[in-house]
Amino acid sequence: MTTETFVMKGKKIVTGKASGEAIVTKEAISFNGGVDNMTGVVTEPGHELEGQNIAGKILVFLTGKGSTGGSYKIYDMVSRRTAPAAFVQVTPEGVTTIGAIIGNIPVVAGLDQDPTAVIRNGDFVELDADAGTVAVTRRASNG
């Protein structure tokens, strides 16, 4: 097994650093009704991540959607330890940004590559929002 590492540059939306396993969707996410705040499992019917747990992972996604109640759901998830460790977004918006601010979840967006196209589920991601960097390490077989 070999590893491949690449770094993307973007802009800080919410300060902080985090690292962990990536979970990726090209779809928007609603935290108010689309994610179970008690468990961190995506519950929105038909969503690309339906049934998967985002707790403690680096959530790579298009953008947030839904009502402002989602901000409070994100904050509640932080208190329950069911929230993602960080957000890597294509396009930031108010609901997820406010939730991240009040929950101290680091966020980077506006990257020089589409993160939903180049980051894969299971990649190891190190995010430094202050520097605006997202470093991705992928295990690759020699085979």
Side-chain angles (χ1 to χ4, degrees):
M1 295 290 256
T2 60
T3 60
E4 167 192 1
T5 301
F6 58 94
V7 178
M8 294 181 288
K9 184 81 171 139
K11 65 178 185 174
K12 171 184 75 173
I13 305 301
V14 180
T15 190
K17 294 180 182 181
S19 62
E21 179 185 344
I23 188 160
V24 184
T25 178
K26 292 179 184 287
E27 298 179 9
I29 291 183
S30 171
F31 283 88
N32 194 21
V35 178
D36 181 348
N37 58 306
M38 303 294 277
T39 63
V41 173
V42 176
T43 57
E44 181 180 337
H47 194 280
E48 186 178 13
L49 295 181
E50 182 182 4
Q52 295 188 54
N53 196 314
I54 61 174
K57 296 184 180 169
I58 307 298
L59 180 61
V60 181
F61 63 114
L62 178 64
T63 192
K65 65 179 181 179
S67 73
T68 56
S71 300
Y72 300 103
K73 291 286 188 170
I74 293 167
Y75 180 70
D76 183 60
M77 290 175 73
V78 169
S79 68
R80 296 178 187 281
R81 298 180 184 202
T82 59
F87 296 158
V88 176
Q89 293 177 283
V90 174
T91 306
E93 47 61 58
V95 172
T96 54
T97 299
I98 292 168
I101 290 168
I102 61 178
N104 292 314
I105 297 172
V107 182
V108 173
L111 293 148
D112 53 14
Q113 298 178 68
D114 177 350
T116 67
V118 297
I119 301 174
R120 298 179 192 158
N121 285 330
D123 284 349
F124 183 78
V125 174
E126 293 177 276
L127 178 143
D128 182 340
D130 298 316
T133 59
V134 176
V136 180
T137 303
R138 175 174 302 144
R139 288 193 185 125
S141 66
N142 290 329

